[in-house]
Short mmCIF file of all heavy atoms in Angstrom, two decimals:
data_model
loop_
_atom_site.label_atom_id
_atom_site.label_comp_id
_atom_site.label_asym_id
_atom_site.label_seq_id
_atom_site.Cartn_x
_atom_site.Cartn_y
_atom_site.Cartn_z
N PRO A 1378 21.60 25.76 -11.86
CA PRO A 1378 22.62 26.26 -12.77
C PRO A 1378 24.01 26.02 -12.20
O PRO A 1378 24.16 25.66 -11.02
CB PRO A 1378 22.31 27.76 -12.85
CG PRO A 1378 21.74 28.08 -11.51
CD PRO A 1378 20.95 26.85 -11.11
N GLY A 1393 30.01 29.61 10.20
CA GLY A 1393 30.36 31.01 10.01
C GLY A 1393 31.08 31.34 8.72
O GLY A 1393 31.63 32.43 8.58
N ILE A 1592 -7.36 41.87 23.79
CA ILE A 1592 -8.70 41.60 24.31
C ILE A 1592 -9.69 41.82 23.18
O ILE A 1592 -9.81 42.93 22.64
CB ILE A 1592 -9.03 42.54 25.50
CG1 ILE A 1592 -8.08 42.26 26.67
CG2 ILE A 1592 -10.49 42.38 25.91
CD1 ILE A 1592 -8.21 40.90 27.30
N PRO A 1707 18.81 14.79 3.99
CA PRO A 1707 19.13 16.22 4.12
C PRO A 1707 19.22 16.89 2.76
O PRO A 1707 19.18 16.22 1.71
CB PRO A 1707 20.49 16.20 4.82
CG PRO A 1707 21.11 14.91 4.38
CD PRO A 1707 19.97 13.93 4.27
N ALA A 1737 -13.32 6.25 -6.18
CA ALA A 1737 -14.34 6.37 -7.21
C ALA A 1737 -15.72 6.00 -6.68
O ALA A 1737 -16.72 6.64 -6.98
CB ALA A 1737 -13.98 5.48 -8.40
N THR A 1800 -19.58 46.52 7.31
CA THR A 1800 -20.71 46.32 6.42
C THR A 1800 -20.67 47.36 5.31
O THR A 1800 -19.97 48.37 5.40
CB THR A 1800 -22.03 46.41 7.19
OG1 THR A 1800 -22.08 47.68 7.86
CG2 THR A 1800 -22.13 45.31 8.23
N THR A 1853 -10.68 23.17 20.70
CA THR A 1853 -10.44 21.74 20.82
C THR A 1853 -11.56 21.05 21.61
O THR A 1853 -11.94 21.52 22.68
CB THR A 1853 -9.10 21.50 21.53
OG1 THR A 1853 -8.08 22.22 20.82
CG2 THR A 1853 -8.74 20.03 21.54
N VAL A 2135 -28.40 16.70 -2.58
CA VAL A 2135 -27.39 15.86 -1.91
C VAL A 2135 -28.07 14.80 -1.06
O VAL A 2135 -27.67 13.63 -1.09
CB VAL A 2135 -26.45 16.72 -1.04
CG1 VAL A 2135 -25.40 15.85 -0.38
CG2 VAL A 2135 -25.79 17.82 -1.88
#
Side-chain angles (χ1 to χ4, degrees):
I1592 296 295
T1800 56
T1853 306
V2135 181

